[in-house]
């Protein structure tokens, strides 16, 4: 059961990272490098990706916490504690803000604010994502 839940957790993480990074990096490039103003189709598609991203993130959290409570239940394990805290205290609020901005976006000015939000948080998402992957692989204590 543990390996199956871990497998599903890893699949959800891959889906979450894929849906969150691919289109946002493309939109950052298109907005800030190419200075392209016509992004109506991309933004409409991106809204659906954000819904998928939030669903997959919820799945990641649900499966991760299930794994923790079913098989670890020991908050003294440093690498596990740090992973959980990063997920709940950083990624969860960022996903909530992401969903808020995308639901609120109705015009180009809203999208410009959203673009700045994505541009500002992207380096932190990458950094904390790499930290979590490192901890999942090496399990440092």
């Amino acid at each position: 059961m543990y390996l199956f839940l871990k497998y599903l957790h890893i699949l959800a993480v891959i889906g979450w990272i894929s849906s969150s990074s691919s289109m946002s990096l493309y939109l950052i490039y298109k907005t800030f490098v190419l200075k392209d103003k016509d992004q109506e189709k991309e933004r409409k598609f991106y809204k659906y990706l954000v819904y998928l991203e939030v669903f997959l993130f919820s799945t990641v959290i649900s499966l991760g916490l299930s794994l923790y409570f079913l098989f670890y239940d020991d908050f003294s394990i440093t690498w596990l504690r740090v992973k959980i805290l990063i997920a709940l205290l950083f990624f969860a609020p960022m996903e909530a803000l992401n969903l808020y901005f995308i639901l609120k976006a109705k015009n180009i000015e809203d999208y410009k604010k959203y673009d700045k939000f994505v541009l500002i948080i992207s380096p932190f998402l990458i950094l904390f994502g790499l930290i979590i992957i490192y901890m999942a692989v090496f399990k440092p204590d």
Side-chain angles (χ1 to χ4, degrees):
M1 183 62 150
Y2 171 77
L3 288 178
F4 183 69
L5 286 176
K6 189 173 180 179
Y7 170 74
L8 292 177
H9 180 69
I10 291 169
L11 287 179
V13 168
I14 291 168
W16 169 56
I17 291 171
S18 300
S19 62
S20 68
S21 61
S22 57
M23 193 65 171
S24 59
L25 290 174
Y26 174 70
L27 285 175
I28 287 171
Y29 171 74
K30 204 167 178 197
T31 301
F32 295 103
V33 176
L34 296 180
K35 309 280 190 212
D36 187 359
K37 304 285 187 220
D38 184 27
Q39 299 178 18
E40 179 99 16
K41 289 179 191 173
E42 290 93 342
R43 293 198 183 281
K44 192 173 191 176
F45 177 67
Y46 189 66
K47 277 190 174 191
Y48 293 112
L49 273 181
V50 169
Y51 300 145
L52 176 64
E53 174 186 339
V54 170
F55 169 76
L56 289 169
F57 178 74
S58 301
T59 304
V60 166
I61 293 296
S62 299
L63 288 168
L65 290 175
S66 296
L67 285 165
Y68 171 75
F69 286 115
L70 290 173
F71 301 102
Y72 288 99
D73 204 15
D74 182 2
F75 211 61
S76 69
I77 302 171
T78 304
W79 66 269
L80 191 53
R81 182 177 60 240
V82 172
K83 273 180 59 174
I84 291 170
L85 290 174
I86 289 172
L88 295 178
L89 299 177
F90 177 73
F91 284 118
M94 290 304 107
E95 287 299 336
L97 281 170
N98 192 21
L99 185 60
Y100 168 77
F101 276 118
I102 209 72
L103 289 172
K104 185 179 180 274
K106 304 290 185 224
N107 56 46
I108 194 67
E109 291 305 315
D110 293 337
Y111 281 115
K112 285 182 180 180
K113 291 175 189 171
Y114 180 70
D115 291 343
K116 288 178 184 172
F117 165 74
V118 170
L119 188 62
I120 290 167
I121 68 161
S122 290
F124 299 103
L125 293 172
I126 293 167
L127 175 66
F128 285 120
L130 290 172
I131 290 169
I132 283 185
I133 292 168
Y134 176 84
M135 288 186 198
V137 172
F138 294 103
K139 299 176 180 21
D141 275 333

